[in-house]
Structure formats: C-alpha cells, structure tokens
Amino acid sequence: GWAEEVLEPGAVAPGDGADDPARLMRLLDDWGFSPVMADGPGAEDGDRRTIELCRCPFAHGVEQQPDAVCPVHRGIAAGVLERLGGAWRVVDLVPHSPPGRCSLTCRRAGR
C-alpha cells in the first residue's frame, strides 16, 4: 500500500491504539501538512477524530489533479493507521473543508 512506500522500516510500531490519531498527526506534520486536531476538548475519549490538514505539500498537484492526489493522501493515512495496529480507520478525507484545509476523519475500528 501507499504507507509502505512513504514510511521507512520501523517508522511506526503498533501500540495499544489509544493515541493512533495523534501518532498519525505527528507523521503528517513531519511530511509538511501542518495538521491540527479539529475535535474539541474531551474528544480524545471518543470514537471519532477529525484532523484538519492546514497545508498541502502537493497543493499545485491538487489544483491540477485532485482526483489523483487526495486519494493518495487518504491511502497513506489509512496505511499508517493499519500499520499502527488497525485500531482506527480512515472514514473520509474531504478536500477544502473548511476552505483552505482538508478534513481527515478517523473512527475506531468496529464502531
């Protein structure tokens, strides 16, 4: 999958799943997406998280081919969560929602 192509061996190791969205967010930050957790206080106890990607390192490509670039980003995020142990799944990636940002929504697996 996409994650294997962008992650170095050993870059992520499975954990207990509790902080997988935060771990994904740190990787997205390393890759230049400037992510922020869009959920309010206390959301870390819930089954759903939304990460807003405030910057796209491939913004020019998105303008040219959004149907190609955005699914790759979704696939990378899904692959990372799978490699972290599969406790969370990507539900959706919505480009430009809110304007200037993309919203990546994750949910606990089985919920």
Side-chain angles (χ1 to χ4, degrees), residues 12-78:
V12 293
D16 64 7
D19 66 345
D20 288 357
R23 292 174 71 191
L24 171 61
M25 201 168 93
R26 285 191 293 274
L27 285 169
L28 291 168
D29 192 40
D30 289 346
W31 295 330
F33 286 93
S34 301
V36 295
M37 197 66 75
D39 303 315
E44 57 275 358
D45 295 329
D47 295 331
R48 185 180 183 103
R49 300 280 185 294
T50 299
I51 300 169
E52 289 185 3
L53 307 176
C54 301
R55 181 180 172 280
C56 180
F58 307 98
H60 180 71
V62 170
E63 291 171 13
Q64 303 298 317
Q65 297 181 337
D67 293 340
V69 176
C70 298
V72 169
H73 294 160
R74 179 184 172 141
I76 289 170

Side-chain angles (χ1 to χ4, degrees), residues 2 69-80 90-93 104-105:
W2 299 110
V69 176
C70 298
V72 169
H73 294 160
R74 179 184 172 141
I76 289 170
V80 166
V90 171
V91 175
D92 205 3
L93 178 95
L104 176 70
T105 304

